[in-house]
């Protein structure tokens, strides 16, 4: 199973240009150096899980990829295009990159269906009927088509997060970013969201996922990236990373995570 | 096997409370219970209740005596002697009966009063239609344009066999409604643009918006009105003259715009940052994000302070009296200048107050309903 995934990933790595390239990216919040010389490539179809203690810069890094945060030094290329201040190219990149947030960030004044159709209608210029059909297709995939007419406030946390995934998928993105998608959920709802993400991974979507769910990392990740204090400390296939960590920082982190479980 | 025992244990455990279903405690309700709890809960409370009840009853009886029982409702031919004899004991509503058309329509030609009356009806109709959610679509803008055009034609005349009436002769309630309706209809979109501009990343736009808000807010409305009516014409080329009402109208729009802009900005800032980020992440453009995601939520958040400002400005239009425009309040004041009717200010002011109250109370009530309706999605 994992061997098959690796061959697919390596095949993609040789042929196509990388989906995402980070080249010596630096960022400061005031005097605080939150990203230090981050360099990383993500191939098309690759699934990367980013983990690390809180404050390690993993969320900031993922938010730089669709420019919710701006990096101050280095280069970021998404789908071959460099991220700059140019609004047009930025909008073009954001169209291809879906994002799922820790706090869902659904639009509370719109129904679930309207949440999903808004961007396809206005950004992709899709006819309303087609957009609704597409939205229902993805809502079915995340297993909540019956909630389409409800407002987000009427759903449970797990259902809201699945709507958020469907909303991002309705834009047919090439890359999906997940920023701690299960951290705000009650324990009994984590599984339904992870199941949805596993199903998505099985379709060959390029995914970068910031999460502490090590089981998920083992199950779907091609590569695990461990960050601490703004730098990438170690990265590699999940089995190697979790079974034989090389650095003390990763050992410490893993022992803390495992104690927590 | 083990699971079997757990199931039986569970069944037993759930069966026990079922044997004795508990009802919620009986709540004490009804007016007598309420009064006992809130008005007569102790001897101090009882004493305060009785004392206040006595004062209120005395005041109400006194007012009813004055306003209804001893009141004079009409007098023949401006003979106000009967009214003067009753000073202090009874109201002289005759002044309102006699002068109501002047109070409502000012110096507008008497035989043409149906025109401003129709204008008032049109305004109220426009408010009612605009208030209904089922009419909230693009056609409503057309209805507004048509209604406001009709109002202009009715007030000025000069066509369709209606004689021309210069703006100097307009007065009373139509002036109040024109100033506040046009004022808020233009000030509100202006305020939204200024509020957005104040949060803009473009320094020039931001600076202009900050300057506008701070300059206008730092000056009393009266001085703005003075500037509009006295100073502004001095800067105009010889022979060119802009209507006085229009100048006052622009001053009111600019003033209301600055205040409303700050209210709207409050809503923009109160909105969760995640909403902006989610819209950005979907690739929505600035205007799509603003009009579909940000404004609908931000404006809902600020309905109470928005309506507060609306109501304030409805009443502030009465300040135009200082530049000689006859709004409702000024018309009422002028109505009692005539020697025969001097000294009956209280009755006239109560009447005018009631008219203002009707409009303001309607706005307030409507906003409460709208708030509940629009925030329904927050409820579970």
């Amino acid at each position: 199973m994992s061997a098959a995934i690796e061959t697919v990933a390596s095949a993609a790595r040789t042929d196509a240009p990388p989906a995402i390239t980070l080249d010596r990216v630096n960022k400061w919040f005031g005097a605080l150096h939150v990203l230090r010389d981050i360099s990383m490539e993500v191939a098309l179809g690759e699934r990367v899980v980013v983990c690390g203690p809180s404050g390690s810069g993993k969320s900031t890094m993922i938010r730089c990829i669709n420019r919710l945060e701006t990096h101050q030094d280095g280069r970021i290329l998404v789908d071959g295009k460099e991220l700059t201040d140019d609004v047009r190219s930025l909008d073009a990149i954001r169209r291809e990159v879906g994002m799922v947030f820790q706090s869902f960030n659904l639009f509370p004044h719109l129904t679930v269906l309207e949440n999903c159709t808004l961007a396809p209608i206005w950004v992709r210029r899709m006819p309303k009927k087609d957009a609704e059909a597409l939205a229902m297709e993805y809502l079915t995939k995340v297993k909540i088509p019956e909630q389409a007419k409800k407002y987000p406030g009427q759903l449970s946390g797990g259902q809201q997060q699945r709507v958020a995934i469907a909303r991002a998928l309705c834009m047919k993105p090439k890359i999906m970013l997940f920023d701690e998608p299960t951290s705000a959920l009650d324990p009994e709802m984590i599984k339904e969201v992870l199941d949805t993400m596993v199903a998505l991974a099985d379709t060959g979507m390029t995914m970068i996922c910031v999460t502490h769910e090590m089981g998920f990392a083992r199950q779907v990740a091609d590569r695990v990236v461990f960050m601490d204090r703004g730098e990438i400390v170690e990265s590699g296939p999940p089995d190697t990373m979790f079974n034989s960590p090389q650095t003390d920082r990763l050992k410490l982190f893993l022992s803390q995570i495992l104690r927590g479980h | 096997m083990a699971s079997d025992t757990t199931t039986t244990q569970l069944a037993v455990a759930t069966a026990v409370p079922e044997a004795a279903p508990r009802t919620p405690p009986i709540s004490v309700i009804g007016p007598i219970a309420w009064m006992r709890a809130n008005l007569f809960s102790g001897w101090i409370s009882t004493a305060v209740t009785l004392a206040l009840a006595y004062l209120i009853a005395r005041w109400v009886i006194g007012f009813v005596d004055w306003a209804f029982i001893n009141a004079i409702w009409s007098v023949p031919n401006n003979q106000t002697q009967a009214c003067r004899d009753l000073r202090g004991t009874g109201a002289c509503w005759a002044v309102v009966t006699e002068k109501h058309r002047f109070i409502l329509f000012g110096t507008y030609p008497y035989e043409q009063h149906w025109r401003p009356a129709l204008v008032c009806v049109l305004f109220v109709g426009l408010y009612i239609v605009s208030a209904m959610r089922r009419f909230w679509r693009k056609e409503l803008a057309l209805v507004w344009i048509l209604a406001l055009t009709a109002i202009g034609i009715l007030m000025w005349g000069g066509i369709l066999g209606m004689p021309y009436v210069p703006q100097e002769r307009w007065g009373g309630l139509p002036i109040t409604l024109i100033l506040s309706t046009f004022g808020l209809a233009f000030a509100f979109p202006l305020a939204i643009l200024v509020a957005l501009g104040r949060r803009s990343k473009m320094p020039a736009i931001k600076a202009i918006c900050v300057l506008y808000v701070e300059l206008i807010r730092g000056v009393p409305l009266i001085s703005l009105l003075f500037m509009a009516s006295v100073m502004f014409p001095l800067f105009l080329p010889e022979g060119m003259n802009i209507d006085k009402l229009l100048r006052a109208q622009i001053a009111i729009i600019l003033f209301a715009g600055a205040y409303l802009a700050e209210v709207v900005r409050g809503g923009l800032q109160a909105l969760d940052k995640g909403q902006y980020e989610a819209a950005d992440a979907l690739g929505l453009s600035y205007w799509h994000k603003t009009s579909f995601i940000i404004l609908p939520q931000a404006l809902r958040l600020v309905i109470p302070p928005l309506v507060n400002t609306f109501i304030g400005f409805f009443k502030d239009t009465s300040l135009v009296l200082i530049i000689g425009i006859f709004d409702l309040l000024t018309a009422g004041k002028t109505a009692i200048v005539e020697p025969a009717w001097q000294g009956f200010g209280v009755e006239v002011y109560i009447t005018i107050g009631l008219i203002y109250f009707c409009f303001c109370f309607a706005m307030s009530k409507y906003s409460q309903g709208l708030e509940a309706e629009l925030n329904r999605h927050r409820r579970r």
Side-chain angles (χ1 to χ4, degrees):
Chain A
M1 169 72 186
S2 69
I5 287 170
E6 261 161 42
T7 42
V8 169
S10 57
R13 226 167 272 154
T14 48
D15 291 359
I20 301 166
T21 308
L22 284 85
D23 184 16
R24 291 193 300 281
V25 172
N26 279 283
K27 178 170 177 65
W28 291 262
F29 284 135
L32 187 68
H33 200 173
V34 287
L35 293 181
R36 301 165 187 252
D37 279 332
I38 299 281
S39 291
M40 178 168 87
E41 276 192 3
V42 178
L44 216 56
E46 198 180 9
R47 272 91 60 171
V48 175
V49 163
V50 182
C51 61
S54 62
S56 60
K58 51 195 193 307
S59 279
T60 309
M61 182 196 74
I62 202 175
R63 286 159 60 85
C64 279
I65 293 172
N66 64 354
R67 217 173 172 76
L68 289 183
E69 305 281 358
T70 50
H71 57 286
Q72 285 142 315
D73 190 25
R75 301 198 317 149
I76 298 179
L77 278 82
V78 178
D79 198 21
K81 295 182 233 27
E82 179 163 5
L83 280 181
T84 58
D85 278 328
D86 178 40
V87 180
R88 285 231 177 123
S89 74
L90 178 61
D91 280 345
I93 287 168
R94 281 175 171 167
R95 251 173 267 159
E96 308 304 331
V97 181
M99 186 158 199
V100 176
F101 299 87
Q102 179 178 355
S103 49
F104 326 139
N105 293 347
L106 293 175
F107 306 130
H109 61 302
L110 302 178
T111 63
V112 165
L113 189 66
E114 287 165 342
N115 263 280
C116 293
T117 56
L118 185 76
I121 289 173
W122 293 101
V123 180
R124 291 260 189 244
R125 301 273 160 204
M126 198 182 272
K128 195 175 173 213
K129 262 195 177 154
D130 298 357
E132 283 179 353
L134 183 73
M136 286 315 291
E137 186 189 323
Y138 280 111
L139 286 174
T140 312
K141 278 191 182 155
V142 300
K143 301 199 175 69
I144 36 175
E146 71 282 358
Q147 313 282 11
K149 298 281 175 211
K150 286 194 184 166
Y151 286 96
Q154 297 167 302
L155 307 184
S156 74
Q159 289 172 323
Q160 289 193 47
Q161 192 60 298
R162 284 185 283 150
V163 172
I165 295 173
R167 176 178 72 178
L169 291 177
C170 282
M171 282 296 284
K172 302 223 161 148
K174 291 180 182 159
I175 299 160
M176 282 288 284
L177 307 175
F178 292 85
D179 187 6
E180 306 208 26
T182 55
S183 301
L185 293 176
D186 292 333
E188 73 270 22
M189 292 168 185
I190 290 178
K191 191 176 174 298
E192 63 187 61
V193 171
L194 288 181
D195 286 348
T196 310
M197 289 165 65
V198 171
L200 180 64
D202 288 341
T203 64
M205 174 68 77
T206 310
M207 290 165 68
I208 299 186
C209 187
V210 174
T211 184
H212 291 152
E213 296 295 330
M214 292 306 139
F216 172 77
R218 274 179 195 279
Q219 194 180 348
V220 306
D222 300 316
R223 184 152 51 115
V224 174
V225 172
F226 172 66
M227 285 181 74
D228 190 19
R229 282 174 242 155
E231 47 192 12
I232 294 179
V233 179
E234 222 183 306
S235 78
D239 288 342
T240 328
M241 292 282 283
F242 296 148
N243 297 339
S244 49
Q246 300 297 307
T247 55
D248 291 342
R249 283 200 258 180
L250 179 54
K251 281 177 199 162
L252 179 69
F253 175 70
L254 287 175
S255 71
Q256 283 165 341
I257 286 276
L258 294 177
R259 204 182 304 148
H261 277 257
Chain B
M1 194 58 209
S3 70
D4 274 357
T5 29
T6 6
T7 341
T8 7
Q9 275 169 357
L10 270 177
V12 171
T14 45
V16 173
E18 257 176 15
R22 293 183 61 183
T23 50
I26 299 154
S27 52
V28 189
I29 43 167
I32 293 177
W34 182 88
M35 277 181 11
R36 195 170 290 155
N38 292 293
L39 299 178
F40 302 101
S41 58
W43 70 268
I44 295 180
S45 166
T46 309
V48 170
T49 303
L50 291 177
L52 283 177
Y54 172 72
L55 287 175
I56 291 170
R58 260 196 70 166
W59 187 84
V60 167
I61 291 169
F63 182 80
V64 169
D65 266 353
W66 178 80
F68 301 106
I69 296 170
N70 297 332
I72 292 179
W73 299 90
S74 62
V75 289
N77 308 326
N78 283 3
Q79 296 302 306
T80 52
Q81 200 47 50
C83 276
R84 296 201 183 276
D85 295 343
L86 270 174
R87 281 300 277 282
T89 51
C92 179
W93 298 117
V95 64
V96 178
T97 324
E98 187 67 30
K99 293 284 184 186
H100 72 277
R101 293 199 34 183
F102 187 85
I103 294 170
L104 285 174
F105 306 125
T107 51
Y108 209 87
Y110 191 84
E111 61 285 359
Q112 298 291 326
H113 273 182
W114 63 272
R115 281 156 58 180
L118 192 55
V119 162
C120 293
V121 172
L122 266 174
F123 267 123
V124 172
L126 197 57
Y127 302 150
I128 292 174
V129 168
S130 312
M132 291 189 201
R133 282 198 84 191
R134 81 177 98 130
F135 294 122
W136 287 8
R137 38 187 131 140
K138 290 192 187 105
E139 291 87 340
L140 191 59
L142 198 70
V143 171
W144 269 75
I145 292 168
L146 283 178
L148 295 182
T149 315
I151 283 163
I153 292 173
L154 279 169
M155 289 304 285
W156 265 298
I159 52 166
L160 300 173
M162 293 184 288
Y164 172 72
V165 178
Q167 182 269 307
E168 286 74 28
R169 299 203 57 185
W170 301 4
L173 186 58
I175 289 280
T176 297
L177 295 181
I178 287 171
L179 283 174
S180 43
T181 308
F182 279 91
L184 293 174
F186 284 96
F188 190 44
L190 173 73
I192 290 176
L193 288 178
V194 171
L196 292 171
R198 250 195 115 154
R199 290 169 57 84
S200 166
K201 288 196 187 91
M202 285 174 266
I205 290 182
K206 186 174 176 169
I208 290 170
C209 292
V210 171
L211 199 69
Y212 162 71
V213 169
E214 297 303 336
L215 270 183
I216 300 277
R217 270 203 313 185
V219 182
L221 177 56
I222 291 190
S223 62
L224 264 187
L225 287 171
F226 263 130
M227 267 199 272
S229 78
V230 183
M231 280 173 63
F232 184 67
L234 300 179
F235 300 118
L236 285 178
E238 194 76 35
M240 188 181 165
N241 193 17
I242 299 180
D243 192 89
K244 184 160 77 172
L245 187 66
L246 182 62
R247 278 181 271 139
Q249 181 77 79
I250 291 171
I252 286 177
I253 290 173
L254 289 177
F255 198 70
Y259 274 88
L260 290 171
E262 287 300 280
V263 174
V264 174
R265 191 166 69 98
L268 293 175
Q269 266 162 355
L271 196 59
D272 180 29
K273 203 166 137 256
Q275 295 291 311
Y276 290 87
E277 291 181 348
D280 282 338
L282 284 169
L284 287 169
S285 70
Y286 176 79
W287 289 109
H288 284 157
K289 173 176 76 171
T290 305
S291 48
F292 297 133
I293 307 299
I294 307 304
L295 281 178
Q297 296 187 71
L299 293 182
R300 272 167 222 215
L301 285 174
V302 293
I303 290 175
L306 268 184
V307 174
N308 191 29
T309 316
F310 277 17
I311 289 176
F313 271 97
F314 181 73
K315 293 176 296 180
D316 279 357
T317 54
S318 57
L319 285 174
V320 294
L321 81 96
I322 61 142
I323 56 168
I325 294 175
F326 273 60
D327 78 314
L328 180 60
L329 185 63
T330 322
K333 217 172 113 145
T334 317
I336 46 174
V337 164
E338 204 180 314
W341 295 104
Q342 265 172 14
F344 298 107
V346 177
E347 290 85 345
V348 170
Y349 288 131
I350 285 180
T351 311
I352 293 171
L354 268 176
I355 296 174
Y356 274 108
F357 180 80
C358 288
F359 282 99
C360 295
F361 189 66
M363 269 194 263
S364 166
K365 270 312 203 198
Y366 173 68
S367 85
Q368 284 169 19
L370 189 67
E371 217 189 312
E373 168 97 352
L374 289 181
N375 287 328
R376 212 171 33 178
H377 63 84
R378 282 171 196 277
R379 290 203 310 256
R380 281 211 160 228

